[in-house]
Amino acid sequence: MIFLAIRYLLERKRQTLLTLLGVFFGTLAFVAVSGFFKGFQGFLVQQLVNNAAQVHIEIRQDYLSDHVLDVPFFSNDLVHAFWNPPPAGVKGYLDIQNPQAWYNRLNADPRVEAYSPTMTAAALFNVGLISVAANLIGCNPNQQAKVTTIADYMIAGKFTDIAFGGNRVILGDELMKRLGAGMQQNILVSVGTNSAVPFKVVGRFYTGSRGLDLQAFAALNDVQRVNKTPNYVNEIGVRLKSYLDADALARSWAHLGPERVESWGDQNLNIQSVFAIQNALRLSMIMTVLIVAGFGIYNILNMTVNQKRQDIAILRALGYDTFDVVMLFFAQGMIVGVCGTVLGLGSGYLFCRWLQSLSFMLATPSNPQGHLHISLDWVIYVQATGLALLSAAIASVLPARAAGKLTPIDIIRQGG
Amino acid sequence: MGILSKHVGIKFGSPAVRVLNDISVEIKDGEFVSLSGRSGAGKSTLLYVLSSLDNPTEGSVEISGQDITKMNSIDLHRFRNEQMGFVFQFHYLIAELTSIQNVLMPAMKCKRDVELRPRAMELLEKFGLKEKHDRYPRQLSGGEQQRLAIARALIMKPKYLFADEPTGALDTVNAESVMKILQECSTQDKMTVIMVTHDPDFAAMAPRKIVLADGKIISDNATNPS
C-alpha cells in the first residue's frame, strides 16, 4: 500500500507540496521558537545558577507582627489585645548560630560541591571627600570562587589577591567609578559607628549588573574585624553538583537549624513564573500552527478519498481488506507528516544555528559578542517530532477510517 | 463444487424494495453463464451477491462449498483475491499506475508481484498490450483499457470470473474482442465465467443463459438445473 500511497502523492504534486509545507513550517516554527525561548530561559537560569550560590543559608530575621506578643503576655485565654503602640522591630540573630555544624554537614554531604561562608556588612567607602554606601562582603576567596563565578568577572587583579589579608579590597566597577578610585589606592571603609579603616584596592570586577558592580569583596577576617564581629558569618553559599537538587535540599535543610535556607529557585520565583507563562504561550502558539498543518492534511486526504472512490471499490474487489484501504490513506498522511517533520527539524536546526551567529544582545563579560542564546536541546526536537507526527496521525486517521468503511458495492451502485 | 445460491433474497432502502426474490441457482465449475434481463431485473445485483461483493438479506451463497455469507472479512478478502476475478462495465483502472502495475495489483496484495510478473507480461502480450506495459490507463483506448482490466482479473488464475456488462462501454469491434477473451477463459482455462449483459447477441454466446425479471429467474436453459 505504501507504493500506491507514494504514487498518489506524486500524482498530486502541488497538493502534496502545500500539505508538506504546512507540516514543515509548523515543525520549523516549533524548533525555532522553542530554541529561542528555551535558550533565553537557559541563559537566565545559568546566570542565576552560576553567578550566585545555588543554596543560601542565611540568618533569619522575622519582622514582628501586631499580635506576636499576645500569647506570651496574656496566655491563650485572651480574646483580643489592643497594643499602643503595637510591637514592632525584627526578631532574629545577627549571625549564623552554629556555623561549624553547617560546615560539618556540608562537608559530609556528597551532593555538595563547595560552600563559602560570608559576612556581609553595609559599609561606607570614602576617597577624599567622596563617600559611597555599598555592601562589603567578607569571604574566603578560594571558596567563594568555587561557589560563584565572581572570579571570572575580574577585569583587574585576581580575586584571590584578597586572600593574603592585610585589608585588601576588590571593588565593583560601578563602585570604583563612583569613588573615582584607582588600583593600588588606599580607601577608607567604615561600618556602622566604627572608625574608618584603610583598605588597599587590589582588584576590580565587572559583571554588567549595576547592583552587583556596586559591591566590594575583602577577606572574611578583615570584614569581621572592621565590623567588630569576630567569627561572625551571616550567610553560607552552597554550590551543588547538580543545581536541580537545590529545591529539595533547601527544603530538607530548612528544618536543621534556625537559619533560613533558600534555593536559587526560591529567590527567583518571579522569574520562574515568567518562564511558566512563556512556556504556555510558546506551546499554545506552536500547537496552533501544527493544528492548522493537521487540518491541511485532513482536507487534502478527505478530498483524495472522495476522488478515489473507484479505486477503493476495485481494491476491495481485488481482495484488499479494510485495513489495506485505511493504510493506503493513513500512509499518505504519515508520509507527508514524516517528510515535513524531517525537513522542518533539519531546517529548524540550521535556522537556530544561524540565529546563534547573530549579535542581537548587548555584549556582556560572559557573552562578549552579544550573540543570541538559542537552545539546541534534543528535547525540543523530540517534542517537535512527537507533536508534528501526532498532528499528522490524527489528521490522517479520520479520512482513512472513512475510506475503510466504504464498501465496493455502494461505490459501484453510486457510479463511483 | 461451483457456486450455489439457496433462496437468496435482497431488499434495499426504506421502505424496502425487493430486488432479488428467492433465487436458488447452481453454477457448476467451468460453466459460462450469462445473466440477462431488462433494466432493474436484478441481474447485476445477483452477480454481486454471487461474487460476495454484496450480502443477501435472505438465504445463503456457497462457493466451492464455503458459505461466503458467513465468512469473516479477512478470509473473504483472501478468497476474493485468490479465487475471483472481476470485470466491470467501467474498467476501474488505477490512473496513477502503469499497465503492468495495474495488472499486478491483485498479486501485490499477497506479495506475489515479482513471481507473477512474467505471467502479467504474457497476459499483456495475449491481449495486444505488451508494447504498452509502461503506459498509464489515460494513454490507452477504451478497448485497451477494458482488455487491461481483464488481464488484471486473470493475473491470479482465478477459478471464478465475474463480469458486469463488460462490453457496455465498448464499440462493436472491441466488444467482440472482449467476448472472445471471456469465451477462451471458459473453454481453454476452464474458468467459471458469469457475465451480466443486456445484449442478446452476447448473452447467446454463453452456453448457459439465465434471464431475470423483477428479481426472479424466469428462464434458465441449464441442462442440469438444481
Side-chain angles (χ1 to χ4, degrees), chain A residues 1 3-4 7-8 11 308 310-311 314-322 324 408-409 412-413 416, chain B residues 12 45 48 53-54 74 77 80-81 86 88 92-94 96-97 101 105-106 108-109 136 138 152:
Chain A
M1 282 291 110
F3 160 73
L4 188 53
R7 296 294 313 185
Y8 278 172
E11 202 63 26
K308 296 296 174 186
Q310 286 191 353
D311 289 7
I314 196 61
L315 286 171
R316 299 296 290 268
L318 295 177
Y320 287 84
D321 55 30
T322 305
D324 295 319
I409 195 64
I412 291 165
R413 277 210 190 99
Chain B
F12 287 144
T45 303
Y48 297 143
L53 288 181
D54 204 357
I74 292 173
H77 281 91
R80 261 189 220 152
N81 180 249
F86 290 90
F88 298 97
Y92 290 149
L93 295 165
I94 295 174
E96 288 79 6
L97 302 182
Q101 287 168 339
M105 270 312 284
M108 285 181 196
K109 166 63 186 165
Y136 289 91
R138 62 178 176 273
R152 179 179 63 189

Side-chain angles (χ1 to χ4, degrees), chain A residues 36 57 106 115 131 139 153 237 274 295 328 359:
Chain A
F36 181 82
I57 301 164
L106 295 172
Y115 65 89
S131 296
C139 64
Y153 294 104
V274 170
F295 267 106
L328 172 62
S359 300

Side-chain angles (χ1 to χ4, degrees), chain A residues 50-53 114-120 137-151 159 162 215 217-218 235-239:
Chain A
N50 290 334
N51 286 358
Y115 65 89
S116 173
T118 55
M119 173 73 210
T120 303
I137 301 168
C139 64
N140 176 329
N142 292 315
Q143 283 180 278
Q144 186 72 4
K146 288 178 187 169
V147 172
T148 70
T149 52
I150 187 66
F159 192 67
I162 56 173
Q215 293 181 324
F217 286 89
E235 182 177 342
I236 303 173
V238 183
R239 170 165 285 270

